[in-house]
Amino acid sequence: MTSFRHFLQFSDFSADDYQHLFERIRVIKQRFKRYEPYLPLTDRTLAMVFEKASTRTRVSFEAGMYQMGGSVIHLTTGDSQLGRAEPIEDTARVISRMVDIVMIRTFEQSKIERFAAHSRVPVINGLTNEYHPCQILADIFTFIEQRGSISGRTVAWIGDSNNVCYTWLQAAAVLGFKVHISTPPGYEVEPARAAALGTTHYREFADPLEACRGADLVTTDVWTSMGYEAENEARLKAFANWCVDERLMGVAKPDALFMHCLPAHRGEEVSAAVLDGPQSVVWDEAENRLHVQKALLEFLLLGRVLE
Ligand code: CP
Ligand code: NVA
């Protein structure tokens, strides 16, 4: 049987895999900017399963697959038998006999792991409650493009210790940088989960200003992630002092970047002045999702392309 890999969490790939990917993202992006066709995935099909809403992840995977000569099938809970309780294992067995690669956005990480365990083809995590590895791959590529290697740098994470935050923690352990986290009381990183990621790579701060001090990159995300909408009102109150504004950016390094995976809420987790300001690279970050997904699809379907 042919061997293949999944991308279910950031720690599934090594630092060496990421060095290869960063170079391939750069090449694929340059080629795209020059309007040079690159069609290595002709006759390949990607199935995308969305159990939560998406704009960037859907468009980047779908456009990326078509741009590389492949095709895409888009499924949601509502328009597939997943919404009528067909077991995830059976869904995996069936879909993976018909397509070459699968991307899933769902709730529990255990669900995507169960799918992958019964899949004959590579599975990509397009976001779960626990992780968002494609996003952090795009964020780190964006940092490298703007500032060079992320190794040894400091990333300030302000707000909720959510899926994006935990993926930063995993990435810090793989690529060797630090994460300074500030969350409101009650929303801290879970010690047991963090312990499994390696304790030397992050530090928690009660005051968001202290987390941002001297940082190379300041980043945040929505206060209420998809699936947690019932907590929205309580979170609005708890997170009120965790807005990334000019005061917080002012204590980071003078050339610090601001990133946000988007969608953003101006006036909640980030001020309009920061999101739309000179240190913000959120639109490059969003565009890079496209180039990243293409390099990821190439890597999982064709291995290490060297040219
Ligand atoms: N950042 C991100 O994953 O965006 P979407 O939810 O729009 O896919
Ligand atoms: N943390 C957010 C990210 C959205 C891209 C969520 O899970 O809803």
Side-chain angles (χ1 to χ4, degrees):
M1 193 172 152
T2 332
S3 72
F4 58 90
R5 299 172 72 177
H6 301 298
F7 188 48
L8 305 184
Q9 44 186 304
F10 202 88
S11 56
D12 284 346
F13 291 172
S14 67
D16 191 56
D17 292 328
Y18 285 112
Q19 286 321 313
H20 169 82
L21 274 169
F22 292 138
E23 177 54 17
R24 288 306 296 164
I25 300 164
R26 194 185 65 76
V27 168
I28 287 170
K29 179 172 180 175
Q30 271 183 354
R31 205 174 243 170
F32 178 75
K33 297 285 179 186
R34 290 196 299 258
Y35 297 95
E36 273 177 38
Y38 178 51
L39 307 164
L41 302 184
T42 309
D43 293 334
R44 306 290 183 115
T45 305
L46 163 71
M48 302 194 295
V49 180
F50 282 98
E51 297 209 282
K52 290 175 178 170
S54 170
T55 297
R56 280 143 288 267
T57 305
R58 178 178 176 184
V59 175
S60 57
F61 270 109
E62 193 158 333
M65 195 66 188
Y66 285 130
Q67 287 164 15
M68 291 199 295
S71 32
V72 179
I73 297 168
H74 176 253
L75 297 156
T76 66
T77 315
D79 65 16
S80 69
Q81 299 289 7
L82 276 167
R84 297 180 61 249
E86 181 167 15
I88 197 81
E89 291 82 358
D90 293 356
T91 309
R93 287 181 178 109
V94 172
I95 294 180
S96 72
R97 282 176 180 241
M98 299 184 185
V99 304
D100 301 280
I101 190 160
V102 179
M103 187 241 76
I104 307 181
R105 169 168 286 197
T106 188
F107 293 87
E108 300 80 19
Q109 181 75 11
S110 57
K111 204 165 172 184
I112 198 169
E113 281 167 6
R114 280 161 55 207
F115 189 105
H118 295 85
S119 171
R120 290 185 168 193
V121 300
V123 178
I124 299 171
N125 181 348
L127 180 143
T128 58
N129 290 349
E130 285 85 351
Y131 297 116
H132 197 2
C134 296
Q135 180 67 53
I136 300 309
L137 187 50
D139 292 5
I140 295 175
F141 177 75
T142 308
F143 185 89
I144 294 170
E145 259 189 327
Q146 306 264 351
R147 297 284 183 267
S149 172
I150 197 161
S151 153
R153 306 290 193 128
T154 301
V155 175
W157 175 269
I158 307 302
D160 190 19
S161 63
N162 63 12
N163 41 10
V164 179
C165 172
Y166 275 99
T167 312
W168 273 113
L169 292 184
Q170 278 200 326
V174 177
L175 298 176
F177 59 89
K178 288 196 163 51
V179 186
H180 286 182
I181 303 176
S182 182
T183 66
Y187 295 91
E188 296 92 348
V189 166
E190 286 170 36
R193 281 185 69 190
L197 302 172
T199 49
T200 56
H201 296 279
Y202 85 99
R203 210 175 134 192
E204 288 189 277
F205 295 81
D207 182 350
L209 198 75
E210 293 313 314
C212 290
R213 199 174 293 285
D216 297 282
L217 165 64
V218 177
T219 185
T220 186
D221 187 11
V222 291
W223 291 339
T224 305
S225 286
M226 291 180 278
Y228 298 84
E229 289 78 4
E231 300 174 15
N232 194 37
E233 221 168 296
R235 283 171 172 266
L236 278 175
K237 286 194 194 112
F239 284 77
N241 294 328
W242 275 261
C243 171
V244 177
D245 55 14
E246 285 163 304
R247 190 177 69 97
L248 263 57
M249 288 305 295
V251 299
K253 288 217 176 106
D255 70 343
L257 300 174
F258 172 77
M259 289 190 197
H260 189 311
C261 65
L262 305 176
H265 299 83
R266 289 173 178 79
E268 290 187 16
E269 73 275 6
V270 58
S271 69
V274 169
L275 188 79
D276 302 313
Q279 288 168 280
S280 171
V281 290
V282 297
W283 312 120
D284 289 323
E285 180 188 0
E287 178 196 318
N288 282 335
R289 298 289 308 277
L290 171 70
H291 313 302
V292 162
Q293 319 301 26
K294 288 163 85 173
L296 183 61
L297 290 164
E298 180 196 70
F299 184 59
L300 291 173
L301 285 169
L302 306 178
R304 290 195 183 202
V305 171
L306 304 167
E307 38 166 28

